[in-house]
Amino acid sequence: MATKPEKLIVGLDVGTSKVCTIIGEMTRDNHINILGMGTNPSLGLQKGVIVNIEQATATIATTIEQAERQAALKIDSAFVGVTGGHISSVNSRGVVAVSKTNRDICSDDVVRAIDSARSVTLPQQREVLHVIPRTFVIDGQDGVRDPVGMNGYRLEVETHIATGTISALTNLFKGVQRTGVEVEELVFSPLAASEAVLSDAEKRLGVCLLDIGAGTTDIALYIDGSIWHTAVIPIGGNAITNDISMVCRISPEAAEKLKVKYGDASVTGPYKGLYADYYGKGPIKHDFRSRARQDEESDESSAPDEMLETEGLEHGRKQQVSRNLLNEIIHARTRQLFDMVQAEIKKSGYDGMIPAGLVLTGGTANLTGITDAAGHVLRLPVRIGAPRGLSEVAGTLSVPAFATSVGLVLWGMKKRSGVEILQNNSRRGGGAGLAVGRKFGGWLREFLP
Ligand SMILES: Nc1ncnc2c1ncn2[C@@H]1O[C@H](COP(=O)(O)OP(=O)(O)OP(=O)(O)O)[C@@H](O)[C@H]1O
Ligand SMILES: [Mg+2]
């Protein structure tokens, strides 16, 4: 194997349906060259969380080997994505008196302010995953991006804190470490995916990322350029597949094929089903048809049914499934999901506009008509987000399912080119320390408005 290049950055996404390892090399002008990648269907994971550590470790090891073989080098550490219903977030404020007698704010004051914000009382079984400074306030003046060197008596910081259960985080940590690779940092997946698919302009304007994977839907809401809310809904594409499998009494494999080939979540398509009450009310497309025409066309009977052939449960036996029934099942789940996303956004306490709308990513963003359905429930513009930001994104990586994997490499690049201030969950060397770093620089500035 060749000698290890400088500035090697590895992203490892342990998802419910697939594990993916990407080896990138950071160039001098802060770009990433992809050197190798490996991906394999997951085993031992449910709704984003490891439930069988032997199986999960074996899959992780396989993808690492694939990526190492392609890159012709060995890796020793990785930025690892973490998700699951156990992760929750809160915004917290920290306040300190500026320490120097001349009142010039130094990086130590910033670190103390962040430490004070992160001292929220945590239930015993939880661990802090991230403490992200959102904005600073100096003597009541808000909107300060970089307080170091400024003058004041009182420094406040607003932070976004994500926490997870110690058991789920430890199992993921162990699953990776058993392959001989150190966890450089556990990164909450939607924060990584945001790096790959959202633009700075969208974050400034206000945008909501939805990473709809197989087992979970991860949410990251950005306001004024910084993270406002994150959440995980334990529903993804697997739930749709399972519904189809149960209702139509076909195997999950056959249900998955039907979903991918014929599934249609669109509200304005021929089958409106459970979205019929939203029909024509969407905020994006104006419906210029007459009311009578709309009523006529929103009538379910206007969607002629079709029988789709699939594999029956009994070996070698074919079975027919109604296309309208298939779409009704898909509509029921997608509508439930987007209703839950809407409730989550409301719960976050943010009641303003999100002008840049929704950006859908993750494998389920490929479902036909999903932007239409999301737009009608949430009344926002919607686009699909595929990874960008790597100079040589290989064709296979530039699809929504790899947003988190690519995002982890980009997160790692920012981290390496910046500072340790957010290096809050690194357990390199086996220690469980969650210390906030002492340095301060570009990395922090990336998160501030
Ligand atoms: N063309 C398609 N139409 C509908 N669904 C699709 C399509 N392609 C992929 N999917 C769905 O995308 C999901 C996999 O997405 P992804 O790879 O993002 O999940 P993951 O990262 O492994 O899971 P998670 O993030 O939830 O832990 C599966 O449920 C799959 O059925
Ligand atoms: Mg995922």
Side-chain angles (χ1 to χ4, degrees), residues 62-368:
T62 307
T63 70
I64 290 175
E65 279 162 27
Q66 288 169 347
E68 285 181 334
R69 211 174 310 125
Q70 196 178 0
L73 49 80
K74 284 264 173 216
I75 60 166
D76 54 18
S77 67
F79 289 88
V80 180
V82 57
T83 181
H86 63 100
I87 298 180
S88 62
S89 69
V90 65
N91 288 339
S92 167
R93 185 174 271 247
V95 190
V96 288
V98 175
S99 53
K100 282 194 181 162
T101 40
N102 66 1
R103 303 292 166 204
D104 279 350
I105 297 168
C106 63
S107 55
D108 260 5
D109 295 320
V110 175
V111 171
R112 281 192 303 116
I114 294 171
D115 269 344
S116 124
R118 75 187 288 282
S119 62
V120 284
T121 39
L122 283 182
Q124 265 195 337
Q125 319 77 359
R126 299 192 77 79
E127 185 165 317
V128 173
L129 198 54
H130 295 286
V131 182
I132 300 175
R134 301 180 56 248
T135 182
F136 292 92
V137 182
I138 301 173
D139 295 343
Q141 175 64 55
D142 59 10
V144 177
R145 190 179 158 86
D146 181 355
V148 172
M150 292 182 70
N151 199 273
Y153 282 88
R154 180 184 151 97
L155 175 69
E156 292 170 64
V157 61
E158 283 179 22
T159 62
H160 182 77
I161 300 180
T163 67
T165 60
I166 291 175
S167 54
L169 299 179
T170 307
N171 285 332
L172 176 59
F173 189 81
K174 277 171 74 173
V176 177
Q177 228 181 17
R178 280 185 185 188
T179 66
V181 170
E182 290 287 345
V183 176
E184 191 154 350
E185 188 186 9
L186 288 179
V187 184
F188 188 20
S189 296
L191 297 174
S194 300
E195 292 297 322
V197 301
L198 299 182
S199 69
D200 288 347
E202 282 175 323
K203 289 183 189 170
R204 274 197 301 275
L205 211 54
V207 68
C208 183
L209 174 100
L210 292 186
D211 178 351
I212 317 177
T216 66
T217 294
D218 301 350
I219 305 176
L221 178 65
Y222 289 81
I223 306 292
D224 290 336
S226 52
I227 187 75
W228 170 263
H229 186 64
T230 48
V232 178
I233 295 174
I235 294 177
N238 278 357
I240 303 175
T241 303
N242 290 343
D243 292 347
I244 299 170
S245 159
M246 301 236 286
V247 175
C248 303
R249 303 209 291 128
I250 54 177
S251 68
E253 293 73 26
E256 176 74 18
K257 279 188 199 155
L258 273 187
K259 176 183 82 171
V260 169
K261 191 163 179 197
Y262 301 104
D264 187 351
S266 65
V267 182
T268 48
Y271 180 80
K272 281 114 206 158
L274 293 162
Y275 285 102
D277 56 330
Y278 280 109
Y279 188 61
K281 289 187 198 165
I284 320 145
K285 293 176 194 145
H286 292 287
D287 196 338
F288 296 109
R289 295 166 309 158
S290 70
R291 186 70 240 173
R293 179 91 191 272
Q294 285 183 36
D295 289 345
E296 186 192 313
E297 290 183 4
S298 68
D299 184 357
E300 279 177 38
S301 63
S302 68
D305 206 356
E306 185 188 338
M307 296 313 281
L308 310 167
E309 193 169 86
T310 181
E311 300 287 322
L313 278 179
E314 207 180 309
H315 186 66
R317 186 154 182 167
K318 296 286 175 204
Q319 192 170 319
Q320 307 276 311
V321 170
S322 139
R323 189 192 274 262
N324 279 354
L325 174 62
L326 175 73
N327 288 339
E328 187 173 340
I329 299 165
I330 291 174
H331 280 199
R333 263 303 176 189
T334 50
R335 183 162 171 178
Q336 179 206 23
L337 175 63
F338 294 129
D339 281 342
M340 287 171 85
V341 169
Q342 191 165 40
E344 193 59 53
I345 293 174
K346 280 200 182 128
K347 202 177 91 185
S348 81
Y350 184 71
D351 55 1
M353 282 286 292
I354 308 173
L358 293 174
V359 178
L360 308 186
T361 194
T364 303
N366 293 310
L367 179 65
T368 305

